[in-house]
Amino acid sequence: MNFIEELRWRGMLHDIMPGTEEQLNKQMTAGYIGFDPTADSLHVGHLTQIMTLIHFQRAGHKPVALVGGATGMVGDPSGKSAERNLLSEEILSHHVQCLEAQLKKFLDFDCGANSALMVNNYDWFKEFNFLDFIRDVGKHITVNYMMAKDSVRKRLEGEAGMSFTEFSYQLVQGYDFYYLWKERNCQVQMGGSDQWGNIVTGTELIRRKGGASAFAITTQLIKKADGTKFGKTESGAIWLDPAKTSPYKFYQFWINTSDDDAQSWIRIFTLKSKEEIEALEQEHALAPHLRILQKALANEITVRVHSKEALQMAIKTSDFLFGNGSLEFLKSLSDTEILDVFDGVPQFKIAKAELIVGIHATDLLAEKAGVFTSKGEARKMIQGGGVSINKEKLSDANQIFDVNQLINDQYLVVQKGKKNYFLLIIV
RNA sequence: GGGGGGAUUCCAGAGCGGUCAAAUGGGACGGACUGUAAAUCCGUUACUUCGGUUUCGAAGGUUCGAAUCCUUCUCCCCCCA
């Protein structure tokens, strides 16, 4: 199966420039995707692009991951209704380093001819002066052409307006494509469907300035069946950096996908074959409560992004927190294991002296620990039957806690509702 | 520069002198149900030592009593130049 067919059956393909498939079938081709360093980590939204590059390489082509040290300085107006704030050079270069380290994990950089390549467009832009740029690049593209782009037109029609900086973005990205085409024989640019306009400016530049054709493929934007935005939770984005989103939370994100979404996402975010996926779907349909699809999805992505070990820990943690989590299990763990299980769970430190004299549940949860913002809230929640300590539901808001209730002589496990855990560490 | 309208609890939005901690809807959170799902139903959504206490852009004032009336200030929106 070729690359395009692969994307197509997985439901990833959005748009493709005529001639692209022929080029890919003809010979090994280099193709790139750009990642702008807007943060110090990639998030799950970037995974589609990462998977696209992985498929590209598996199909025998040469994937190029571009980190936008230069484009990040300008700011992509696509999909943005207002001008963005510029990031400083130091912050950007830090972001670039973080992204490069993350991207390295996903591709094979040492497999001969189609080894992956990592580039940073800052390398060819830092020496490019303004006059040269507007003469060598700007001359080939008309303002009329640039203004017709969706990303520009929407901003011109709106109230917010648009700076010259962001207006120029497509030229900067376009030149990237031209540069990679010329210097690295890179003939294809890929990206999310919102990037079509920017990519086409690149192929246009290659056509006019280089007199050759280049190709473009865009992928579907990931949508959730319920219409909410993919990759965001109440607590923010799901990052690939384990320091920003713990592997446990990352795993949970995928476990919690709806059945509808799981069906489409397992095609996009795993490398499982059509047969494997269809078998899983049948299995899932027979016993939907086992959530076979979600587990298969979560397992594979967690291993790809983090590691086998991280997955094991995430599963163990999930089993405890949601499944047959018993106090005995927790008591059987060492201090470090407990801290591992509760990694990523809010933790509060409390002075042992408070426990020695004994403390009311409401004082403990609202004043000493930030589980609740006020004692009234704590009291109401306890009366509503929504609070457990050490896996036991609290029935009385005035219940006294002392050192006898501690696990391993220093922990109390608090649950608000079923899902929200807090670890109180008594020191 | 001139004229008009507005600022209410997480959001939207009622209230226009006492019965207002403030309708209603949304969101959030909790409970039941469940698959750590969806839908549904129920509850909570200023603080409290449960006696009360502090809220309705800010500061003053009128009144027995103000989110509601008056004055000043701050901020927002609209219209005309």
Side-chain angles (χ1 to χ4, degrees), chain A residues 36-86:
Chain A
D36 270 358
T38 49
D40 58 2
S41 169
L42 296 168
H43 53 76
V44 290
H46 291 111
L47 279 172
T48 323
Q49 305 317 319
I50 291 171
M51 294 311 294
T52 305
L53 284 178
I54 291 174
H55 285 301
F56 197 67
Q57 186 164 41
R58 282 163 62 96
H61 298 294
K62 185 179 181 69
V64 177
L66 178 148
V67 179
T71 29
M73 299 192 79
V74 176
D76 185 358
S78 303
K80 294 279 185 294
S81 57
E83 188 82 10
R84 294 199 287 187
N85 292 324
L86 290 177

Side-chain angles (χ1 to χ4, degrees), chain A residues 71 113 141 154 175-176 203 213 231 253 282 302 306 379 420 427:
Chain A
T71 29
I141 301 287
K154 279 194 183 131
Y175 180 75
D176 281 343
T203 59
S213 48
F253 171 77
Q282 276 177 13
T302 306
H306 296 295
R379 190 170 295 112
N420 303 303
V427 288

Side-chain angles (χ1 to χ4, degrees), chain A residues 42-327:
Chain A
L42 296 168
H43 53 76
V44 290
H46 291 111
L47 279 172
T48 323
Q49 305 317 319
I50 291 171
M51 294 311 294
T52 305
L53 284 178
I54 291 174
H55 285 301
F56 197 67
Q57 186 164 41
R58 282 163 62 96
H61 298 294
K62 185 179 181 69
V64 177
L66 178 148
V67 179
T71 29
M73 299 192 79
V74 176
D76 185 358
S78 303
K80 294 279 185 294
S81 57
E83 188 82 10
R84 294 199 287 187
N85 292 324
L86 290 177
L87 297 171
S88 75
E89 216 168 317
E90 306 89 84
I91 291 175
L92 276 168
S93 79
H94 171 66
H95 289 178
V96 165
Q97 285 168 23
C98 294
L99 297 204
E100 283 179 347
Q102 287 183 341
L103 288 166
K104 281 205 173 98
K105 289 181 69 170
F106 298 102
L107 299 166
D108 191 342
F109 286 82
D110 186 24
C111 59
N114 72 330
S115 294
L117 188 70
M118 178 93 63
V119 294
N120 178 355
N121 58 14
Y122 189 67
D123 291 340
W124 56 84
F125 268 112
K126 65 185 171 200
E127 302 294 327
F128 208 158
N129 79 49
F130 181 72
L131 279 178
D132 288 341
F133 184 78
I134 55 176
R135 287 178 65 92
D136 294 350
V137 180
K139 198 67 179 169
H140 297 279
I141 301 287
T142 65
V143 169
N144 311 48
Y145 177 82
M146 292 171 73
M147 294 218 307
K149 301 278 172 184
D150 236 37
S151 58
V152 174
R153 217 184 53 229
K154 279 194 183 131
R155 286 278 286 279
L156 292 181
E157 284 165 1
E159 301 264 310
M162 180 181 220
S163 66
F164 178 70
T165 309
E166 286 195 10
F167 178 62
S168 320
Y169 181 88
Q170 54 173 305
L171 275 189
V172 179
Q173 183 170 330
Y175 180 75
D176 281 343
F177 196 3
Y178 174 81
Y179 178 89
L180 288 173
W181 168 79
K182 195 162 170 59
E183 302 297 326
R184 301 282 187 173
N185 191 27
C186 181
Q187 301 200 57
V188 180
Q189 182 178 177
M190 296 166 282
S193 56
D194 57 333
Q195 290 299 310
W196 183 257
N198 289 332
I199 294 173
V200 168
T201 301
T203 59
E204 193 65 14
L205 193 62
I206 291 169
R207 200 172 62 77
R208 296 191 189 180
K209 188 172 158 65
S213 48
F215 305 98
I217 297 168
T218 54
T219 55
Q220 295 283 356
L221 242 48
I222 306 298
K223 288 199 195 82
K224 277 170 60 172
D226 63 6
T228 53
K229 210 173 170 196
F230 168 73
K232 295 265 170 163
T233 63
E234 316 79 58
S235 45
I238 303 293
W239 302 98
L240 303 196
D241 181 348
K244 290 169 80 84
T245 299
S246 70
Y248 161 71
K249 277 208 178 130
F250 184 85
Y251 175 80
Q252 281 292 320
F253 171 77
W254 299 102
I255 280 287
N256 277 321
T257 55
S258 70
D259 289 7
D260 286 347
D261 289 334
Q263 283 204 16
S264 67
W265 294 0
I266 199 162
R267 289 170 164 73
I268 296 169
F269 297 115
T270 75
L271 293 176
K272 294 185 193 308
S273 69
K274 202 168 183 173
E275 292 71 33
E276 283 176 282
I277 289 173
E278 278 164 4
L280 283 169
E281 281 174 348
Q282 276 177 13
E283 222 182 310
H284 182 95
L286 289 176
H289 59 282
L290 294 180
R291 286 174 298 140
I292 287 162
L293 280 176
Q294 284 90 338
K295 282 180 185 163
L297 175 70
N299 288 6
E300 189 172 323
I301 309 184
T302 306
V303 171
R304 174 162 297 112
V305 171
H306 296 295
S307 65
K308 274 206 177 73
E309 295 70 41
L311 171 67
Q312 289 314 317
M313 199 61 219
I315 292 176
K316 234 162 92 184
T317 307
S318 301
D319 279 350
F320 168 70
L321 297 180
F322 294 103
N324 40 19
S326 70
L327 207 53

